Amino acid sequence: MSNYHPLTEPEAIQIAQSIPGIFEPQGELVSREIGDGNLNLVFHVSQPSSGRSLIVKQALPYAKVVGESWPLSLDRARIESEALLIEARLAPGLVPRVYHADHEMALTVMEDLSSHKIMRQGLIDGGTYPLFAGHISEFLARTLFFTSDLGMNQQEKKTLLGSFINPDLCKITEDLIFDHPYTDADTNSFDDHLRGDAELLWNDAELHLEVALLREKFLTHAQALLHGDLHTGSIFITPESTKVIDPEFAYFGPIGFDIGAVFANLLLHFASQEHWASDESSRGARRQYLLGTVRDIWTSFDNTFRALWDEHGVDRVAKPKAYQDDYMRRLLQDSIGFAGAKMVRRIVGLAHVADIDRIPDAGVRAKAQRIALAIGKSLIKNNRKTSSIDRLIDIADSAARG
Ligand code: SR1
Ligand code: MG
């Protein structure tokens, strides 16, 4: 019988006290539940006298955002802690340190990153992060290459894949990203002024074909170990440092899904500039910064992934340059298609983004939402025709111009 139960704040303190080397022996600990995500409890445990702290994160057996009517496997906590350990090995310094994991209690004790900001909020506050493109492309290239058939022993990969079977969390993505936004589903949630835009999505055969192809890739293409939910709420940031958190959606899937998630969230923020920028000229500058970041991420990812392949490739059959070029072109196309799907879902689906939802004026919000939908739909429809990141930049620019 399992001992699992949701932790209280005093229990989070007890667990924190059992971790060696963090707190001073004397000095009271204080615990606060700070989880503001959709799924988990997050306790911040600190020792005011020493200024030391850590995080105790615990999965709930249901989706917090909906309630107990939506049960979710606790195994996602094991998946998250194991993914963090793999990511720490492959991309050192780019994820929080894991101090302890208890799979039965579905909890992970990890480094507190309160010195950083959640990137979504950082962007909303007008922050710029000049090192981000380099950091995230390094994270993406190293974690994805070294867990793919290009960069790891192919039999060991099959065994590792068995530890990352994540059906409940994949089902969330399959439904909320690749299905519900394209039909009149109960889970959808959108402002009344978007009903006409939603109906267009539900009746667009060209879009439905591309979404079905992307969904098929998500269901079947076990290319590498993905983070699985790499939006700007899963990234802690400062101008100097980037830490990727929350890989509870990790599973073996198509590489472009992670890259597309980063693109999508930068582009959602691009669309939200209708409100957050103070005037036309700062809006233009901010948008150029965001598009420049997208471009830098792709360029740097492409260079790093190819360099890893040339230096550490394990597969003789994968050596031809023409194969590498073809593979990278397909990764770009997938990234663009998945980015589009991830934008559309954040406007009409269940889970939205603060960048856009926090725009107080309904007219301005509608404009931002329509820019996001226009970019999202165009990325989806054009993904298989794309051969350069410039195409994404053009699509975003022309959607913003209207
Ligand atoms: C029911 S969970 C809704 C969303 O939150 C997570 O961050 C994922 O993006 C998921 O789709
Ligand atoms: Mg999350």
Side-chain angles (χ1 to χ4, degrees):
M1 196 169 117
S2 167
N3 281 324
Y4 176 85
H5 59 273
L7 288 179
T8 60
E9 291 187 341
E11 286 175 314
I13 290 182
Q14 267 181 7
I15 290 164
Q17 265 160 342
S18 72
I19 309 295
I22 305 291
F23 297 109
E24 287 176 351
Q26 310 300 329
E28 209 193 346
L29 299 193
V30 183
S31 166
R32 223 163 23 100
E33 205 282 304
I34 55 164
D36 63 353
N38 292 325
L39 302 177
N40 305 295
L41 295 175
V42 180
F43 297 91
H44 179 261
V45 183
S46 61
Q47 186 175 48
S49 58
S50 65
R52 299 188 181 168
S53 55
L54 53 66
I55 293 292
V56 180
K57 177 172 176 181
Q58 186 185 38
L60 289 166
Y62 53 87
K64 196 167 79 174
V65 64
V66 174
E68 297 188 26
S69 60
W70 189 337
L72 279 186
S73 157
L74 293 173
D75 192 42
R76 69 184 193 276
R78 175 192 64 76
I79 286 176
E80 173 165 347
S81 63
E82 291 183 2
L84 280 172
L85 293 172
I86 291 172
E87 290 165 355
R89 177 169 57 77
L90 297 178
L94 293 172
V95 293
R97 277 194 298 276
V98 170
Y99 300 135
H100 171 70
D102 178 337
H103 300 330
E104 191 178 6
M105 284 294 285
L107 65 83
T108 308
V109 185
M110 64 186 111
E111 185 182 4
D112 175 27
L113 296 168
S114 305
S115 55
H116 293 55
K117 259 189 194 181
I118 285 291
M119 187 175 184
R120 187 179 307 291
Q121 188 58 48
L123 289 172
I124 289 172
D125 294 342
T128 50
Y129 301 103
L131 302 185
F132 172 68
H135 287 159
I136 202 70
S137 53
E138 175 93 5
F139 174 86
L140 289 164
R142 294 188 62 85
T143 59
L144 297 168
F145 176 79
F146 284 115
T147 60
S148 76
D149 289 296
L150 302 167
M152 85 178 281
N153 175 282
Q154 295 162 351
Q155 279 55 54
E156 285 168 18
K157 178 193 168 222
K158 291 176 181 68
T159 306
L160 185 65
L161 188 151
S163 316
F164 287 94
I165 303 294
N166 200 351
D168 287 9
L169 286 273
C170 285
K171 171 86 173 134
I172 290 178
T173 301
E174 289 149 21
D175 290 348
L176 296 189
I177 299 184
F178 298 112
D179 182 355
H180 297 185
Y182 305 97
T183 188
D184 188 5
D186 289 345
T187 53
N188 285 338
S189 158
F190 50 82
D191 285 325
D192 288 344
H193 57 237
L194 289 182
R195 172 145 292 271
D197 304 79
E199 284 169 358
L200 288 176
L201 290 173
W202 302 341
N203 292 300
D204 188 332
E206 184 191 353
L207 194 65
H208 292 185
L209 164 63
E210 296 303 327
V211 170
L213 291 167
L214 290 165
R215 189 170 190 269
E216 178 189 316
K217 282 186 187 142
F218 185 84
L219 287 165
T220 64
H221 201 20
Q223 225 172 2
L225 178 60
L226 307 189
H227 175 282
D229 195 25
L230 195 42
H231 54 81
T232 45
S234 296
I235 297 169
F236 266 116
I237 199 148
T238 71
E240 296 80 32
S241 165
T242 303
K243 305 274 184 183
V244 175
I245 62 166
D246 264 7
E248 66 194 311
F249 283 72
Y251 88 113
F252 275 80
I255 287 175
F257 189 76
D258 271 0
I259 305 167
V262 179
F263 289 174
N265 282 271
L266 292 170
L267 292 172
L268 285 161
H269 191 66
F270 172 98
S272 81
Q273 289 311 301
E274 286 308 301
H275 170 70
W276 299 107
S278 53
D279 56 46
E280 209 46 56
S281 118
S282 55
R283 180 172 303 126
R286 187 72 174 157
R287 285 190 164 146
Q288 287 318 303
Y289 159 69
L290 293 164
L291 294 184
T293 303
V294 169
R295 186 197 299 279
D296 290 348
I297 291 170
W298 175 257
T299 306
S300 170
F301 171 83
D302 184 75
N303 287 336
T304 309
F305 198 91
R306 285 175 188 267
L308 292 171
W309 189 330
D310 293 343
E311 195 177 336
H312 301 285
V314 296
D315 190 355
R316 188 177 50 78
V317 179
K319 288 265 184 273
K321 171 83 169 61
Y323 175 63
Q324 187 180 93
D325 289 344
D326 187 84
Y327 190 101
M328 298 310 291
R329 180 186 48 77
R330 285 183 282 118
L331 285 194
L332 174 65
Q333 293 177 341
D334 290 356
S335 304
I336 284 179
F338 287 126
K342 285 187 151 257
M343 293 185 75
V344 169
R345 64 82 60 117
R346 294 294 188 188
I347 304 301
V348 298
L350 175 80
H352 291 199
V353 291
D355 320 44
I356 288 185
D357 274 21
R358 278 203 219 138
I359 299 176
D361 182 281
V364 178
R365 194 167 64 248
K367 193 159 178 220
Q369 289 163 329
R370 292 204 173 101
I371 291 173
L373 281 178
I375 298 173
K377 287 203 290 188
S378 186
L379 294 180
I380 294 172
K381 288 184 181 181
N382 286 290
N383 82 89
R384 289 187 296 145
K385 298 175 213 151
T386 301
S387 58
S388 153
I389 193 68
D390 293 340
R391 183 81 186 101
L392 177 150
I393 311 285
D394 291 345
I395 285 172
D397 264 337
S398 70
R401 279 196 301 273

